[in-house]
Amino acid sequence: GQFNFYLEEESRWDAWISGTNLDTGPLTAQIVPEHFYMEGRLSLNLISEGVGLKLGKTTGEFLTETPGHFDITRLDETIERLPAGWNQLKTSLAELGLSTLKRFDYEQGAGSLSLDNREGDFLMRFVGPYGSREVNIFLHDERNTPAAPLVAQPVAP
């Protein structure tokens, strides 16, 4: 990898990292432990730029090198909070559907990342002995921004 920090502009920087045979278990446990866990090895390329602490354009891709599994751990909370008033059939079907989405054993997988500041997408596709899974995450910056002041428009006579 490499990191460049430029002094002639407002703290502009750029960086890249590339690796092969990366163990995803410790990596996901550090980055997103409450949301997602993955086991297996992969190769990864990531390029990013920004100014100060503001992330600019970032792109990346990965390709699995070994079979493994992923677990969307964030869904545990959703499964635990299913409404108590649901009948047994509805609860069982919801638990089954969410559990199927939550954990998946794969033989192959690939993905890409494209961000620009706080917006972008993270696309993943996995193929395993029991089918395939696509996980597409789209990020949108919906922070409160000041609305333009309302201006009275003249009414035509």
Side-chain angles (χ1 to χ4, degrees), residues 8-47:
E8 71 274 0
E9 296 182 26
E10 288 185 355
S11 304
R12 187 173 67 89
W13 57 268
D14 59 56
W16 65 269
I17 188 169
S18 181
T20 59
N21 202 30
L22 298 171
D23 187 354
T24 59
L27 190 63
T28 57
Q30 285 296 313
I31 297 172
V32 285
E34 64 278 353
H35 300 288
F36 184 81
Y37 181 76
M38 185 173 172
E39 280 192 10
R41 296 193 173 270
L42 55 77
S43 59
L44 170 74
N45 295 306
L46 187 66
I47 301 169

Side-chain angles (χ1 to χ4, degrees), residues 135-154:
V135 179
N136 300 324
I137 301 169
F138 300 97
L139 306 171
H140 302 280
D141 187 359
E142 294 186 6
R143 294 176 291 177
N144 291 332
T145 55
L150 294 176
V151 178
Q153 298 294 321

Side-chain angles (χ1 to χ4, degrees), residues 105-120:
D105 295 319
Y106 63 83
E107 293 173 351
Q108 298 175 340
S112 65
L113 168 72
S114 177
L115 292 173
D116 195 353
N117 195 358
R118 292 177 166 258
E119 297 194 353

Side-chain angles (χ1 to χ4, degrees), residues 104-108 126-133:
F104 184 69
D105 295 319
Y106 63 83
E107 293 173 351
Q108 298 175 340
F126 296 92
V127 177
Y130 302 106
S132 63
R133 298 290 186 275

Side-chain angles (χ1 to χ4, degrees), residues 42-108:
L42 55 77
S43 59
L44 170 74
N45 295 306
L46 187 66
I47 301 169
S48 186
E49 64 183 21
V51 175
L53 297 177
K54 185 177 178 184
L55 185 64
K57 185 175 181 181
T58 301
T59 58
E61 58 188 22
F62 76 87
L63 181 63
T64 61
E65 294 182 355
T66 64
H69 77 271
F70 69 81
D71 188 341
I72 305 172
T73 54
R74 184 63 180 209
L75 288 177
D76 288 334
E77 185 178 314
T78 303
I79 292 169
E80 290 172 9
R81 293 189 320 178
L82 291 175
W86 282 6
N87 66 42
Q88 184 61 39
L89 178 62
K90 189 173 185 178
T91 300
S92 295
L93 288 174
E95 286 175 350
L96 179 63
L98 290 170
S99 295
T100 300
L101 174 63
K102 179 180 157 13
R103 180 184 162 104
F104 184 69
D105 295 319
Y106 63 83
E107 293 173 351
Q108 298 175 340

